[in-house]
Amino acid sequence: MPKIGVFVCHCGSNIAGTVDVEKVAAAARTIPGVVVACDYRYMCSEAGQETITKAIREYGLDGVVVCSCSPRMHEATFRRAAEREGLNPYMVEIANIREQCSWIHKNREEATEKAIVLMRAAVAKVKRDTPLTAGRSGVTRRALVIGGGIAGLSTALDVANAGYEVDIVEKEPTIGGKMAQLDKTFPTLDCSACILTPKMVEAAQNENINLYTYSEVEKVSGYVGNFTVTIRKKARFVREDRCTGCGACMEKCPSRKAKNEFNCGLNTRSAIYIPFAQAIPNVAVIDAQHCLKLQTGKCGVCEKVCAAGAIDYTQQDELIQREYGAIVAATGFQPIRPYQFGEYGYGRYPDVITSLELERLMNAAGPTDGELRCPSDGRKPKNIVFIQCVGSRGQTCRDKSYCSKICCMYTAKHAMLIRDHWPDMDVHVFYIDVRTPGKNFDEFYRRAAEEYQVDYRKGQVGKIYEEDGHLMVQGSDLLEDRQVLMPADLVVLAVAVEPSPDARKLATMLTASMDNNDFFTEAHPKLRPVESPTAGIFLSGMCQGPKDIPETVSQAGAAAAKVIGLLSKKELTANPCTAHPEEVRCNGCGECEKVCPYGAISYEEKELRVMGRREKRRVAVVNTALCQGCGACTVACPSGVMDLQGFSNRQILAEVDAICR
Amino acid sequence: MKQYSYFPGCTLKEKARELDLYARQCAEKLGFSLQELPQWQCCGAVYPMASDEIAPKLSAVRALEKARQQGQDLITVCAACHHVIKRVNDDMKQGGDIADRANRYLGFDTPYEGQTKVVHYLEVLRDEIGFDAIRARVEKPLTGEKIGAYYGCMLLRPSGVMQFDDPESPSVLENLLAALGADPVEFPMRNECCGGYRVVDDAQAAGHTARRVIENALKNGVEELVTACPLCRYNLKKVAGGQIRVSYFTEVLARALGLLKEGGINA
Amino acid sequence: MTVTEKEVSRQILQLSGANANLCIRCGRCTAACPVAGQMDQKPHRFASLLLHGQADTLLRSNSIWLCLSCMACSERCPRGVDPARLVEGVRQYAVRPRGMAHFSPDQVPDVVDDEMPQQALMAALRKYRK
């Protein structure tokens, strides 16, 4: 019979306050096979661990049960202690008598009884534990960053500067993302382009960085350290190696009715275009939807005027396959288009715009050359009304449930800049709360109100309508306890942000989990905030949740540190608690593959000896590098042949027996 | 010809006979028919919102159950009846305390659980007949007529239950008017309240609310307003004076289809 | 035994069937209301006064007679509070005790005219009395 030691932790008063720990230890001593059982104030302390290692030595223990906190906290600590003493680390079991017992019960007697049951179950399991050895695999020393906005660029630069190769895949024709569209940034009011473009140039010039613009991830396979990714490089119809970015084609292109995406559709662009002056790469792209040559076969003007001979109407999408050790999702966000809020008239009244549209209307490179004008008729607005929380913080089907986090600050910025440039304009802001946590943030907002006399009104807007040639804003002022009706020339909606619509598709390819809002979820909200629960997948920027630029850059750096940590390893230790089928009994039905969230299960034709006969059979095969040990397949398997190492069916049943006894 | 169980409602039997009569005639011409429920009682005019009110909802449940027995959708023309019946139907669908108690009280053979589909006449025109088919039947197009569609509250809100149209930017009436050859005029107050039942308690106050609608319609060049609600029509007409004609949508429909009786329905 | 104002508030909340706790005090209801201008207690105050046990203020207010049940507040409330139900709850509480009707059938002859639809009277009797 294996020799087992049981160690019961007080965790100060966390456990001992509710559970009679001595009684638990005494109960352990009555179980056959338990040769030593004791309690101690802090089992995780040096002295506590010493108690365990000493017992392993003195009693020649085959297995250890620690009754303490959640295994998420100290399982690794106790396993390492056992390993130091020569015991296989997977011969250590944790009975969680804190989170699952002392913290949730008040009655000492009942809690003690439950702690004893949990201990008994762990002892039953450890008796059936087998020593496990973690497998090892190599690491491809190259990272893939998906998204070339400020998040992706920051992560890529940090990883590249540590000496590793990085590929950036960006779906737009240029890197830069949303930050390139912004005019100024809070709370310092630096020009967004002035601080972003050097980063873009740096990325383009960095020897370790390879840019795939106008490209999308098509397929992902493999596992941490060894991903294989297919990238679709969309046809630009312009040869990147030849185009000099001179812009002659854009001038001569006769098709000029396409909406200019970079200016939020506030003006138009030619069918062949470079998104903006500082675009990287500075290479034109043909929008096939609007190109006369590609649509009708008649035109070809750009080809004629291109001195570099870069135009190629026959260009096809190209598929590229590359290997990576780590993948970073940096797919960013988009502001919602608030058509669902019909009472605000977005889409009906041209002078009701979103904040991102306002950025373009205030930007020197925007459609009005930086002169703030009403989109309807180009007049200079006199009264400007901002509405906060449009689509954020709601509970209805039109709203996002979360706070979009950046709007209070950028509206303060907009309001301040408008009052600074055009003091004759009046600015009103309807808000629910003004939320400004962040360094120098509240001071910034107060400056808008105090120095620039921005009219902040605690209230919301119920309806916007046009009357006598201008917009009427019907709102509430809760501090004055009344309804207000004010004319406005321009209404700016601070709309909710949402994850990029492509993120869901990508998450599926990466087997990375997402929340209900389609933001990527982190492995642990506090302790592992930049990792996805899927090994080797990291998160950078808004794709994980709303955040401003400083926070995005910090998170991007943190993701880079995690990537560097992974790529710097010579080899990876795999989790040995993986699934494996009993091949002889497997009938290859396919149920386990269907439920595996990690794509770790495939099928092979294998020659097996069944009842003395040799026969060829389709059987499940688990890629142990991909398997995360979740156990979904073990429950799905109709013939019960799938088992999980370290959590085998017989171990679990033994635990259940111990509990029910 | 598709048959609908028809709940006309009290007002349509008395003060709003144009709404009822033309609805029936136009339906026949457009290829569906309204079969008045054999027995029906007043819907109650307003949906009882308090959480303990069962009795005032029972007449709606009875109508719904009758339609279920006929195996037909339940159609209404009056906006108020539609509002009440549709919301009560939703209560029955949701199951909860009200549905339980109503079923226990009424004691049908099988409990009523919201099986009947409640449709408004306009929804049938839009979703079943189609505006193109209506356009093809127009005999006297309303060419050049600047008609404003007034929706009011009850068809649109709460949109989660009514599911009638976009509550802030509705279009069904405008599309109908366009099919009839008119120039529909969209005006911002078309989905704001007319003053409703307030007219009974304080006619002046109700008039104030209605005036806001009328003035807004006038500013936008509306010459005639159409509505599906007798109370809206009454309130708006009171303050409109001679400035804007206020009609039921069934009247303009009948006019365009060549069914209007010269000199009014009593002539 | 007299019922405390706090208890009355609780009963009204229950009667309304609305969940006032969802309210974030944004004021969209008051912004949307077509008659807020004439109300002495604006729609946005209903949730917080009831939660704070101050139903008397609302029971005395003209707002409960002015409210048109037009549902604009409920439609535009981002939290799904359904403020129209809160108003209805107060109104019902006010008219239910014997003799507390806001409108009586005796008044009908004074207000009715040839064109007034039955619907108007029916609605008023439902809203303003029990």
Side-chain angles (χ1 to χ4, degrees), chain A residues 222-283:
Chain A
Y223 51 93
V224 55
N226 298 278
F227 293 106
T228 303
V229 177
T230 309
I231 298 163
R232 175 179 293 271
K233 209 167 158 29
K234 295 178 277 189
R236 270 181 184 265
F237 307 104
V238 174
R239 288 183 56 171
E240 266 184 77
D241 54 342
R242 290 200 186 161
C243 175
T244 59
C246 73
C249 53
M250 297 162 63
E251 262 170 49
K252 293 287 186 287
C253 176
S255 165
R256 315 199 67 88
K257 290 210 178 115
K259 284 206 160 159
N260 185 339
E261 299 88 351
F262 186 70
N263 283 333
C264 301
L266 290 165
N267 64 354
T268 56
R269 58 158 170 78
S270 45
I272 186 165
Y273 69 106
I274 297 175
F276 56 98
Q278 301 98 321
I280 287 180
N282 187 22
V283 169

Side-chain angles (χ1 to χ4, degrees), chain A residues 95-115:
Chain A
N96 180 357
I97 61 167
R98 193 179 74 172
E99 285 85 340
Q100 292 178 354
C101 186
S102 69
W103 276 359
I104 50 168
H105 296 296
K106 287 202 174 76
N107 183 308
R108 190 171 170 85
E109 246 169 68
E110 285 172 6
T112 304
E113 199 184 329
K114 180 169 170 185

Side-chain angles (χ1 to χ4, degrees), chain B residues 159-216:
Chain B
S159 60
V161 177
M162 299 311 294
Q163 306 266 315
F164 176 80
D165 204 338
D166 181 332
E168 306 294 352
S169 322
S171 58
V172 56
L173 273 167
E174 281 82 1
N175 291 340
L176 172 65
L177 291 167
L180 303 181
D183 289 343
V185 183
E186 267 186 38
F187 62 106
M189 295 302 160
R190 67 205 164 117
N191 64 339
E192 295 289 324
C193 185
C194 67
Y197 52 76
R198 190 86 224 283
V199 69
V200 176
D201 174 44
D202 184 342
Q204 225 181 343
H208 183 78
T209 313
R211 196 160 298 116
R212 193 163 158 245
V213 175
I214 292 290
E215 279 170 7
N216 185 252

Side-chain angles (χ1 to χ4, degrees), chain C residues 33-111:
Chain C
C33 180
V35 287
Q38 293 93 57
M39 287 181 169
D40 53 8
Q41 296 297 324
K42 311 297 181 208
H44 71 270
R45 305 198 66 188
F46 277 69
S48 94
L49 283 170
L50 289 172
L51 288 171
H52 292 153
Q54 299 184 52
D56 287 355
T57 311
L58 298 172
L59 287 164
R60 279 195 307 266
S61 75
N62 70 1
S63 309
I64 55 176
W65 315 124
L66 289 172
C67 168
L68 302 159
S69 301
C70 78
M71 311 300 291
C73 53
S74 299
E75 186 66 40
R76 292 169 200 164
C77 171
R79 305 292 302 174
V81 172
D82 213 340
R85 278 188 194 268
L86 293 174
V87 180
E88 178 79 5
V90 180
R91 184 167 41 221
Q92 285 288 322
Y93 194 90
V95 300
R96 284 185 183 187
R98 185 186 292 273
M100 293 306 285
H102 180 68
F103 177 78
S104 109
D106 303 342
Q107 291 166 262
V108 169
D110 296 335
V111 297

Side-chain angles (χ1 to χ4, degrees), chain A residues 25 33 42 81 192 198 207 274 291 306 329 361 371 378 382 389 412 421 479 503 536 543 545 560 595:
Chain A
Y42 289 107
S192 188
E207 284 186 346
I274 297 175
C291 172
C306 180
L361 287 179
E371 276 301 314
K382 172 78 182 67
C389 299
H421 292 358
L479 299 179
C543 68
V595 297

